[in-house]
Amino acid sequence: MIDRRRFLAITAATAAAGGLAACAKKNPGTTTGSDNASKPITLGFSQVGSESGWRAANTQSVKDAAKAAGINLKFSDAQQKQENQISAIRSYIAQKVDVISFSPVVVTGWDTVLKEAKAAGIPVILTDRSVETSDPSLYVTLVGSDFENEGERAAHMLEKILGGRKSTVKIAQLEGTTGAAPAIERAKGFAKIMQASDPNWKIIASQSGDFTRAGGKQVMSAFLQAHSDIEVLFSHNDDMALGAIQAIQAAGKTPGKDIQIVSVDGTHDGFVAMTKHQINGIVECNPLLGPQLMDAAKTVHAGKGSTLPRWIKTQEGDFMADQAAAALPNRKY
Ligand code: GZL
């Protein structure tokens, strides 16, 4: 993560860039902040895909919030392919949308297209996942979760589930999409706590299941064929955990008992699995980012992007299996 000195430098650069962007919006031929308020905003949004229950909830939140906000939404599904997202962003630039937003499928490879958006005077808001860039002015803000913190919370949740056990614990890890911010950072956060506090934990298998149920089932099956001694599964999302449950059962083992499972997201089906004690605990990752995105889009469109924080973090909790039944009726996704 960015240290404080670097963060302050970025913030200053962003504020200056935001000011420039605001000035650019006032150049002749473009509408000023006050004019912007008079017509509906057109927001071009590129979604990662439809790979998981989390993504479906996130998509619905964006669409519902745009409708509620009176924002004209242009939406595209990239089917988890970066080239499709880049094409969609270029299409939004050509259509001269007012604001562009997207959830980057992976962290790298965005500078070129984001520079094209900047040159076109179209501000960009990231949602859900972050990007690596050498130029902080290429996007105004990120609306999303702290994935490294989610990984740390998952490790602390496992400590609670294991109850201070000091003998060796053999762990399998189902990683998210290779190169995606949640995969990189959840693994980092989990490893940080493990290395600091849990020397008896050993990750004996770790591989990407691409955030899908099919991927989770396929990779967990391979893990089980190679390792008869897996005791814990840390899955970077519920969909892979649900696929892994099928593989564990097919191997004649009991999920949640023979292999204890900690997951991330908190989808409906993940909670149902917890009521069956097939998943022992879930670290919530809130997909309902739509309202915050629309508020940010309105602020940016009004030329006030420099007033936004660099990262608009979402609020989320942690749930153990014995809490799932009571919580399920109130879940919003
Ligand atoms: C996290 C999001 C991840 C979810 C997965 O914010 O990017 O992508 O954890 C989803 O379920 O596929």
Side-chain angles (χ1 to χ4, degrees):
M1 291 310 285
I2 295 171
D3 63 38
R4 178 166 174 67
R5 184 167 34 82
R6 181 164 154 66
F7 178 82
L8 290 173
I10 284 175
T11 303
T14 304
L20 286 174
C23 292
K25 293 299 282 179
K26 294 190 181 100
N27 288 342
T30 59
T31 51
T32 60
S34 53
D35 293 358
N36 287 347
S38 61
K39 62 183 177 57
I41 296 167
T42 295
L43 170 66
F45 186 88
S46 170
Q47 180 61 294
V48 165
S50 50
E51 74 283 358
S52 64
W54 189 99
R55 190 62 57 195
N58 178 249
T59 289
Q60 198 58 52
S61 176
V62 168
K63 290 181 174 176
D64 291 349
K67 194 171 184 180
I71 286 177
N72 173 30
L73 180 69
K74 292 178 179 292
F75 181 94
S76 63
D77 174 331
Q79 296 170 330
Q80 287 190 283
K81 291 181 173 60
Q82 180 172 33
E83 62 268 25
N84 291 347
Q85 290 199 286
I86 291 170
S87 298
I89 292 168
R90 286 191 166 128
S91 167
Y92 296 144
I93 293 169
Q95 295 175 65
K96 296 184 169 47
V97 300
D98 297 303
V99 184
I100 288 171
S101 181
F102 71 114
S103 172
V105 60
V106 292
V107 294
T108 55
W110 302 103
D111 275 12
T112 300
V113 73
L114 292 180
K115 284 175 181 165
E116 292 168 20
K118 183 179 177 181
I122 302 176
V124 174
I125 298 170
L126 299 183
T127 66
D128 174 24
R129 299 182 184 178
S130 56
V131 300
E132 284 175 4
T133 178
S134 55
D135 181 354
S137 74
L138 292 180
Y139 67 89
V140 178
T141 187
L142 162 67
V143 179
S145 299
D146 183 339
F147 302 132
E148 185 172 337
N149 174 257
E150 291 171 350
E152 293 173 12
R153 286 159 43 204
H156 288 313
M157 183 177 278
L158 181 57
E159 288 170 342
K160 195 187 296 183
I161 290 165
L162 293 172
R165 173 176 150 187
K166 289 304 173 203
S167 59
T168 300
V169 179
K170 295 182 178 176
I171 301 169
Q173 179 174 223
L174 282 172
E175 303 168 20
T177 301
T178 302
I184 295 166
E185 292 171 22
R186 285 170 185 162
K188 182 179 175 185
F190 188 89
K192 178 178 157 189
I193 301 304
M194 188 173 105
Q195 282 145 21
S197 317
D198 307 288
N200 57 319
W201 293 6
K202 303 283 178 250
I203 295 182
I204 61 172
S206 188
Q207 188 179 326
S208 174
D210 208 20
F211 282 134
T212 67
R213 293 195 190 199
K217 181 176 182 180
Q218 183 183 354
V219 173
M220 192 67 195
S221 295
F223 284 170
L224 290 164
Q225 282 166 25
H227 304 276
S228 59
D229 52 354
I230 295 171
E231 301 168 276
V232 168
L233 168 64
F234 168 41
S235 177
H236 288 187
N237 85 328
D238 291 349
D239 286 74
M240 292 191 295
L242 293 163
I245 284 168
Q246 295 174 22
I248 292 167
Q249 291 169 327
K253 297 192 175 190
T254 305
K257 183 171 176 289
D258 298 330
I259 297 179
Q260 295 181 299
I261 300 176
V262 172
S263 181
V264 186
D265 276 351
T267 60
H268 173 83
D269 292 351
F271 267 73
V272 169
M274 281 204 287
T275 64
K276 299 175 185 173
H277 288 276
Q278 292 174 335
I279 294 179
N280 302 84
I282 296 180
V283 168
E284 187 181 38
C285 176
N286 190 339
L288 307 181
L289 305 177
Q292 289 171 302
L293 169 58
M294 300 308 150
D295 287 347
K298 286 181 176 177
T299 301
V300 165
H301 186 57
K304 297 176 181 152
S306 59
T307 65
L308 291 172
R310 186 69 178 153
W311 186 357
I312 300 171
K313 282 189 189 177
T314 41
Q315 299 305 310
E316 50 205 28
D318 299 333
F319 295 86
M320 304 299 280
D322 58 9
Q323 298 170 291
L328 197 53
N330 307 315
R331 298 292 297 165
K332 296 190 177 77
Y333 65 97

